Amino acid sequence: QFVPKNIQDVKAYVPGKTIAEVVEAYKPERISKLASNENRLGCSILVDKAVQKALRNIQDYPDPIARTLKTAVSEFYGVDDQCIMFGAGSESLLSGLFRSFCSGNENIVTADATFVGAFIQAKIRNVAIKHVPLTEEYRFDVKGISKAIDESTKMVYIANPNNPTGTYINKDEFEWLMQQVPENVLVVMDEAYFEYTNEVEDYPDVLSYDHDNVIVLRTFSKGYGLAGLRIGYAFAHPDLITYMMKTRMTFEPDALAQAAALAALEDQEFLDRSRKMVQEGKSDLAGFFENQGVIYAPSAANFIMIDLKDAKKAATITQKCLEQGVILRHIAGFGMPTCIRVTIGKKEEMNHFKESFISAFR
């Protein structure tokens, strides 16, 4: 009797298995955690030093607007600091977008298979979701999204690159879509995997456009390896930032996260090494899947999604690999029950995956 129906109907996010869970359940000889798209290289050594220093002042509340970090991000990207805000991960910022701009009589338009956090936040706010099917190439259908927009649409949500497929909308598609979207509709570009798009020639540089209705979300969780500290940031028109600041939790992100992010941003050499590992790993894994006759989606992120065209087979292989210590993500919860997502890790982790996959695939 206390819980509104829209909250009762929310399907809670189910995270990937932790290493501790797998060890307790199966006691495998080794573990390769390839389910949650974390940076398997870890993080910059500068982060450890920065966090240790920040611990000395842990008794104090953090800077509520992250001034030092904001200045650094502003200078790094060449964006006015009034257009930047931070949160406890980009998902926290996504939640703030729904609190700030959406009400129950409106809808959002997005793909039917994308980051489930967007679906959850919409449900919490009792906002309708208009799901547009992905294309046959597992890509956002920008024409379908344009057609789905109506007078009640408040937001278009695009994960670029998309999670869980790794595909992306290109520069031409973004420009075309922005010509179709009314100025009173927000376009949220969730770029959690932005750091891995540096070699994608036609990836849209959204920050270079002048659209007052575009909000860009990014995170330090993926490329910079700070998933455990929860810190993300948003770029938007200053007026939008003002309203988003009103609805956020006062002291987020915390002091350790702010210090870690500042140190991580300073170490671009670590990011380059992370990108190199992912690029080489994706190339090798793509060749492996081709040799196995497995369908996969070309990825601009730090993972590859495969489609086994059989939901039971996908679930079985995920489980068999798990029992051998390889943690994968069967993405039925994303609306793709025949698919598995594989994070790109270190060579020894990818070799472990290939061995386990061959054994389970037979």
Side-chain angles (χ1 to χ4, degrees):
Q1 62 178 336
F2 301 111
V3 184
K5 188 177 186 306
N6 63 300
I7 302 299
Q8 294 179 33
D9 292 342
V10 170
K11 294 182 179 179
Y13 180 74
V14 180
K17 295 283 187 182
T18 66
I19 291 176
E21 287 177 301
V22 176
V23 169
E24 182 179 356
Y26 306 107
K27 298 177 175 58
E29 293 182 1
R30 52 179 170 157
I31 297 282
S32 295
K33 190 172 187 284
L34 306 176
S36 300
N37 304 336
E38 296 131 332
N39 190 328
R40 302 316 303 158
L41 283 183
C43 65
S44 166
I45 191 171
L46 300 182
V47 168
D48 180 65
K49 296 177 181 178
V51 169
Q52 291 299 322
K53 182 178 180 181
L55 277 170
R56 300 171 192 167
N57 296 308
I58 204 67
Q59 74 283 347
D60 296 332
Y61 285 110
D63 180 345
I65 63 171
R67 288 174 179 83
T68 304
L69 181 59
K70 181 185 288 190
T71 298
V73 170
S74 171
E75 294 175 351
F76 188 81
Y77 289 108
V79 176
D80 191 305
D81 65 3
Q82 298 301 306
C83 299
I84 305 168
M85 70 172 288
F86 296 88
S90 55
E91 189 173 1
S92 174
L93 293 163
L94 183 61
S95 174
L97 292 180
F98 281 93
R99 290 195 303 271
S100 301
F101 305 119
C102 296
S103 60
N105 60 345
E106 298 167 331
N107 67 63
I108 70 163
V109 177
T110 188
D112 62 350
T114 189
F115 179 51
V116 295
F119 303 154
I120 292 172
Q121 296 305 324
K123 278 283 189 182
I124 290 172
R125 293 293 297 168
N126 205 22
V127 173
I129 308 170
K130 301 185 78 172
H131 298 274
V132 177
L134 295 176
T135 68
E136 292 182 358
E137 294 79 28
Y138 311 103
R139 303 177 71 246
F140 267 83
D141 180 358
V142 292
K143 291 184 178 179
I145 286 173
S146 174
K147 291 178 181 177
I149 296 171
D150 60 28
E151 64 277 0
S152 297
T153 301
K154 174 56 69 77
M155 181 190 299
V156 171
Y157 173 83
I158 296 177
N160 203 41
N162 187 29
N163 178 18
T165 64
T167 55
Y168 67 99
I169 70 166
N170 60 37
K171 181 178 178 180
D172 289 343
E173 290 171 321
F174 174 76
E175 291 177 354
W176 181 87
L177 181 62
M178 291 310 301
Q179 291 175 353
Q180 316 306 314
V181 176
E183 292 182 355
N184 65 336
V185 174
L186 293 170
V187 177
V188 178
M189 301 296 293
D190 189 339
E191 298 183 344
Y193 300 92
F194 168 79
E195 282 75 22
Y196 296 109
T197 65
N198 59 305
E199 294 187 0
V200 182
E201 292 183 0
D202 59 348
Y203 184 83
D205 179 10
V206 177
L207 295 183
S208 69
Y209 295 88
D210 187 20
H211 296 296
D212 291 347
N213 60 332
V214 172
I215 299 172
V216 177
L217 303 180
R218 292 183 185 169
T219 181
F220 284 92
S221 294
K222 309 300 183 184
Y224 291 104
L226 302 184
L229 283 172
R230 313 308 303 125
I231 180 164
Y233 52 109
F235 297 107
H237 187 280
D239 291 346
L240 298 179
I241 293 291
T242 296
Y243 287 107
M244 291 166 64
M245 289 294 292
K246 288 183 178 182
T247 64
R248 69 192 282 270
M249 297 294 288
T250 305
F251 295 109
E252 67 165 291
D254 66 43
L256 302 186
Q258 291 184 37
L262 184 62
L265 191 65
E266 293 173 353
D267 192 351
Q268 291 299 301
E269 188 275 334
F270 171 80
L271 180 59
D272 289 340
R273 286 195 291 118
S274 299
R275 286 168 167 161
K276 185 174 186 291
M277 179 194 73
V278 168
Q279 293 296 344
E280 293 177 352
K282 283 195 295 187
S283 178
D284 179 73
L285 195 57
F288 170 77
F289 287 135
E290 288 170 5
N291 291 335
Q292 297 296 318
V294 173
I295 297 170
Y296 69 93
S299 172
N302 68 336
F303 59 85
I304 289 182
M305 184 198 77
I306 60 175
D307 190 348
L308 300 175
K309 301 297 183 180
D310 183 319
K312 184 177 180 181
K313 189 172 187 179
T316 299
I317 288 177
T318 302
Q319 179 60 33
K320 287 184 176 180
C321 286
L322 184 66
E323 292 168 6
Q324 297 178 64
V326 179
I327 311 173
L328 305 175
R329 187 70 152 149
H330 178 214
I331 52 177
F334 287 76
M336 306 184 78
T338 65
C339 299
I340 299 172
R341 193 186 64 198
V342 186
T343 302
I344 304 300
K346 293 178 285 190
K347 279 188 177 180
E348 57 268 30
E349 293 173 317
M350 302 318 293
N351 288 337
H352 187 196
F353 162 73
K354 287 186 279 189
E355 293 167 8
S356 299
F357 184 84
I358 290 172
S359 173
F361 193 57
R362 291 172 182 164

